Amino acid sequence: MGVVVPLDERPVPDEAGIGPLIELVAPGMERVNAFILSRTGSDVAMIPEVANHLISSGGKRLRPMLTLATAILSGYSGDGDVKLAASVEFMHTATLLHDDVVDGSEMRRGKLAARMLWGNEASVLVGDFLLGQAFKMMVEVGSLEALRILADAAAVIAEGEVMQLAAAKNTATTEDDYLAVVRGKTAALFAAACEVGPVIADRPKAEQAAARSYGMNLGIAFQLVDDALDYGGREAKLGKKVGDDFREGKITLPVVLAYRRGSAEERAFWKRTLEDGRIEDGDLAEAIRLLAKHGAIDATLERARHYGAMARDALALFGDRPAAKALLDVVGFVTARAH
Amino acid sequence: MGVVVPLDERPVPDEAGIGPLIELVAPGMERVNAFILSRTGSDVAMIPEVANHLISSGGKRLRPMLTLATAILSGYSGDGDVKLAASVEFMHTATLLHDDVVDGSEMRRGKLAARMLWGNEASVLVGDFLLGQAFKMMVEVGSLEALRILADAAAVIAEGEVMQLAAAKNTATTEDDYLAVVRGKTAALFAAACEVGPVIADRPKAEQAAARSYGMNLGIAFQLVDDALDYGGREAKLGKKVGDDFREGKITLPVVLAYRRGSAEERAFWKRTLEDGRIEDGDLAEAIRLLAKHGAIDATLERARHYGAMARDALALFGDRPAAKALLDVVGFVTARAH
């Protein structure tokens, strides 16, 4: 799991982190994991090979855990939550397979990306297969409302990715533009994963909306912390490989802020490296220096804590049930995490 | 539409072709087309651009017409058929966008493929968006059974494409292997498109199964004729550009048959060109000569007629309603068509 680097001097309020969530959903996650394994099966051998390469590569499975937790929070009894949780993870996996093709990424979770081993073709098609399997599982649950929410998320995720593609390498991207990308590419699935819990438990609309709001804001916080970590987080000395976003010309919030706060000369630097893609030795170090100079990483993490606070407040409706407490702790985990 | 070249000396029994189908579904198709246009909309400008490039490129829209026709055949009254028909066309369009990336195709329907204009990245992501929109539309119809059928088709289509990827360049592919690919990559969507008509009309299982069988066998016939046409059909003198499958190393039924019927020397030719991808000037002409020598194109078209006959027989259950007659004529169109 790596080391958790405190991102702020103030004591982290939720040092319990992700532990209570893991404990809360452990029995369900065993079934989710078995289900995931069974639904990557195919007579076409390449499908389980490619799918399991990524699925078994040690992702945290945060999204399906959120679905199980919001179902528990809603007093759900049934097995629809397990199938929806597996669907959510399949949608996420399909997105990663396609993203790696779109970004030309070589690594994923510390292993070679599937596309490096089986090619872009297999990554595109196995992603499509997982998306099809995800929809099959959702249909089995039989909730049209949950289907609507997840189908909507699928379209919005793709829309966010296209938006990012169009915004990529464009240093004129504003913070609002970028937040729209984040809502699409990351937060929409967190929101849907959390909303379907109360939906299948037939809870009132207010609780469905609260769970959705929790997920949406948690997802935004998650992505902003990710963006900060890609430049090494606040201290740029984690063991993690930094600079992937920089090398891929991705305009993320730290860059948006540093660009806007920077001098004409500094803007020319960001244009040369990110827009024109002319990156020379030492440019990543210079980028990190500029981000630090303008407090762009701190500001990004401050923004993440803002969305984290919104996620916490959305949960207030659920009182102090143990599931609500575990979900609160996740906010602390997300805003204080390092991979 | 090109010229229809008779593929057989016997008089074509259904010279009415696709005309009666077009007439039958004309009012519904107007609504389907309007619906398709409205659902490619997005604030992200690249999405309608890429989607409409392909959608407005003059495909026949045979699949959505089949959905409308089987709904009419089933006495359906409602507007679910229009949304399902649009979903089917979106699924098909998403598949084409992804296929062109997987095959590295430069042209599609006589125009530059979307990937040549907007890149592989946009083609993958806009395909994902269309798939998401397709599921959203299906959910709006509210039939869990139709959802199950179409979600199943989505997974099977991707499975068929992966199977083709694994079988590509493998001259050991058998006719049965290849039929499994065809069922997946082409016939599954035809089958689903036809099955959902009686399903949303709540017709008996026997009629649902008959419509599915019609679509499945029609889809197989459609693909086999396509495979024959890719080598110029029976006479290799159509205006159409031939040899795409050959250049891409695709093992289709004509090649499977010629390989099996050929000499050791001829097999070496197929291995060199398709497995090793070493294609020299004159090789396409030699391939067409070998296909003709072994009657592989005629045999492929004969097989297509076999599946066409099965499609016709599946329709017998529906008597002589006008919609049944129009669907019968489609079989003649498919087995005697040239693009």
Side-chain angles (χ1 to χ4, degrees), chain A residues 41-44 46-47 94-95 98-99 101-103 118 120-122 124-126 128-133 135-136 138-139 142-145 147-148 151-152 154-156 158-163 165-166, chain B residues 41-44 46-47 94-95 98-99 101-103 118 120-122 124-126 128-133 135-136 138-139 142-145 147-148 151-152 154-156 158-163 165-166:
Chain A
S42 166
D43 292 341
V44 184
M46 197 189 265
I47 289 178
T95 305
H98 287 186
D99 275 4
V101 170
V102 168
D103 296 339
W118 291 275
N120 282 337
E121 300 88 344
V124 170
L125 296 176
V126 174
D128 290 350
F129 175 79
L130 292 178
L131 215 49
Q133 290 293 78
F135 278 100
K136 280 177 66 171
M138 289 172 216
V139 173
S143 160
L144 278 167
E145 188 56 13
L147 271 161
R148 189 193 59 71
D152 209 59
V156 169
E159 208 170 19
E161 303 274 357
V162 178
M163 215 186 295
L165 190 65
Chain B
S42 166
D43 292 339
V44 185
M46 198 190 264
I47 289 178
T95 306
H98 287 186
D99 275 5
V101 171
V102 168
D103 295 340
W118 289 275
N120 282 337
E121 300 88 345
V124 170
L125 297 176
V126 175
D128 290 350
F129 174 79
L130 292 177
L131 215 50
Q133 291 293 77
F135 277 100
K136 279 177 69 171
M138 289 171 214
V139 173
S143 160
L144 279 168
E145 187 58 13
L147 271 162
R148 189 194 60 72
D152 209 61
V156 169
E159 206 169 20
E161 303 274 356
V162 179
M163 215 186 292
L165 189 65

Side-chain angles (χ1 to χ4, degrees), chain B residues 62-118:
Chain B
L62 182 54
R63 293 160 189 80
M65 287 199 287
L66 291 173
T67 299
L68 294 183
T70 55
I72 294 171
L73 180 71
S74 309
Y76 177 73
S77 63
D79 60 1
D81 57 344
V82 168
K83 288 186 176 178
L84 291 180
S87 300
V88 163
E89 185 68 5
F90 271 25
M91 287 175 66
H92 177 54
T93 307
T95 306
L96 296 183
L97 283 169
H98 287 186
D99 275 5
D100 285 345
V101 171
V102 168
D103 295 340
S105 305
E106 296 178 4
M107 304 289 290
R108 167 68 69 182
R109 294 177 180 161
K111 291 165 72 171
L112 276 177
R115 60 180 284 275
M116 302 299 289
L117 294 167
W118 289 275

Side-chain angles (χ1 to χ4, degrees), chain B:
Chain B
M1 294 287 292
V3 181
V4 176
V5 175
L7 296 167
D8 192 359
E9 274 79 31
R10 287 172 295 173
V12 178
D14 310 270
E15 55 189 20
I18 202 172
L21 176 70
I22 291 174
E23 199 173 324
L24 177 75
V25 301
M29 278 307 287
E30 250 182 66
R31 293 172 58 213
V32 170
N33 291 335
F35 209 73
I36 284 175
L37 211 62
S38 76
R39 293 303 179 99
T40 53
S42 166
D43 292 339
V44 185
M46 198 190 264
I47 289 178
E49 278 173 32
V50 175
N52 291 327
H53 173 76
L54 182 51
I55 286 173
S56 67
S57 68
K60 287 178 296 298
R61 304 206 171 162
L62 182 54
R63 293 160 189 80
M65 287 199 287
L66 291 173
T67 299
L68 294 183
T70 55
I72 294 171
L73 180 71
S74 309
Y76 177 73
S77 63
D79 60 1
D81 57 344
V82 168
K83 288 186 176 178
L84 291 180
S87 300
V88 163
E89 185 68 5
F90 271 25
M91 287 175 66
H92 177 54
T93 307
T95 306
L96 296 183
L97 283 169
H98 287 186
D99 275 5
D100 285 345
V101 171
V102 168
D103 295 340
S105 305
E106 296 178 4
M107 304 289 290
R108 167 68 69 182
R109 294 177 180 161
K111 291 165 72 171
L112 276 177
R115 60 180 284 275
M116 302 299 289
L117 294 167
W118 289 275
N120 282 337
E121 300 88 345
S123 292
V124 170
L125 297 176
V126 175
D128 290 350
F129 174 79
L130 292 177
L131 215 50
Q133 291 293 77
F135 277 100
K136 279 177 69 171
M137 290 189 276
M138 289 171 214
V139 173
E140 288 171 20
V141 177
S143 160
L144 279 168
E145 187 58 13
L147 271 162
R148 189 194 60 72
I149 291 162
L150 288 164
D152 209 61
V156 169
I157 290 166
E159 206 169 20
E161 303 274 356
V162 179
M163 215 186 292
Q164 171 158 297
L165 189 65
K169 306 178 195 307
N170 179 4
T171 50
T173 304
T174 65
E175 181 164 357
D176 284 328
D177 292 337
Y178 181 63
L179 272 176
V181 169
V182 169
R183 278 177 201 278
K185 73 169 184 171
T186 308
L189 188 55
F190 274 81
C194 292
E195 187 178 6
V196 293
V199 163
I200 55 172
D202 249 332
R203 300 296 306 161
K205 282 281 173 205
E207 293 190 15
Q208 298 176 15
R212 177 175 185 81
S213 171
Y214 165 79
M216 181 67 81
N217 286 295
L218 182 72
I220 297 173
F222 182 92
Q223 184 60 55
L224 296 183
V225 172
D226 229 41
D227 293 347
L229 286 171
D230 202 82
Y231 285 98
R234 197 163 169 238
E235 311 195 29
K237 53 185 175 191
L238 301 172
K240 176 176 181 298
K241 191 177 164 207
V242 301
D244 282 343
D245 289 345
F246 183 73
R247 277 182 291 270
E248 289 169 8
K250 276 196 188 147
I251 310 288
T252 58
L253 188 57
V255 172
V256 169
L257 296 174
Y259 181 84
R260 280 165 195 276
R261 295 172 182 185
S263 65
E265 191 189 351
E266 289 170 10
R267 291 184 187 180
F269 166 83
W270 294 113
K271 272 183 191 289
R272 170 174 64 78
T273 51
L274 298 180
E275 276 193 24
D276 306 342
R278 287 188 291 113
I279 296 182
E280 294 157 16
D281 283 355
D283 278 348
L284 176 60
E286 174 64 6
I288 291 173
R289 194 188 68 77
L290 291 178
L291 295 174
K293 174 181 168 191
H294 295 292
I297 298 293
D298 281 350
T300 297
L301 294 172
E302 186 58 45
R303 305 284 209 275
R305 282 190 292 273
H306 159 80
Y307 292 104
M310 289 174 71
R312 279 181 228 271
D313 281 325
L315 283 179
L317 193 64
F318 298 99
D320 57 1
R321 304 173 213 177
K325 179 71 180 64
L327 289 167
L328 274 178
D329 289 341
V330 173
V331 181
F333 166 76
V334 160
T335 52
R337 91 201 140 98
H339 286 290

Side-chain angles (χ1 to χ4, degrees), chain A residues 15 17 52 55-56 74 94 96 109 121 181 210 220 228 238 310 314 332:
Chain A
E15 55 190 19
N52 291 327
I55 287 172
S56 66
S74 309
L96 296 183
R109 293 177 182 161
E121 300 88 344
V181 169
I220 296 173
L238 300 172
M310 290 174 70

